């Protein structure tokens, strides 16, 4: 696996864990939860772009 994809995958896992933790204590509409969810969305898009690029190269 591409090193960039490995790094992004770790970011995804970390943010997902944080989001699950936040949801244990806060409502889904809480500002912190929404912010974390938005960050996770951005990382997912980044992952998809890097993966698509690396597949074209390979």
């Amino acid at each position: 696996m591409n090193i960039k994809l490995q790094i992004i995958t770790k970011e995804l896992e970390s943010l997902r864990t944080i989001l699950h933790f936040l949801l244990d204590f806060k409502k889904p509409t809480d500002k912190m939860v929404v912010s974390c969810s938005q960050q996770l969305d951005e990382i997912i898009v980044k992952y998809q772009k890097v993966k698509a690029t690396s597949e074209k190269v390979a």
Side-chain angles (χ1 to χ4, degrees):
M1 181 185 283
N2 182 326
I3 188 72
K4 277 187 177 182
L5 285 177
Q6 288 177 340
I7 292 169
I8 295 170
T9 299
K10 291 296 180 187
E11 286 181 88
L12 281 170
E13 292 170 1
S14 297
L15 277 172
R16 198 172 115 243
T17 300
I18 292 167
L19 183 59
H20 282 249
F21 177 80
L22 287 172
L23 286 168
D24 285 341
F25 300 98
K26 299 191 176 282
K27 295 180 181 180
T29 55
D30 184 271
K31 287 181 181 181
M32 287 178 66
V33 174
V34 171
S35 177
C36 184
S37 178
Q38 289 172 336
Q39 289 176 17
L40 188 55
D41 289 344
E42 290 173 11
I43 298 297
I44 290 169
V45 170
K46 185 177 177 182
Y47 176 88
Q48 291 173 334
K49 286 180 180 178
V50 170
K51 186 170 182 178
T53 302
S54 66
E55 287 175 353
K56 287 180 185 177
V57 172

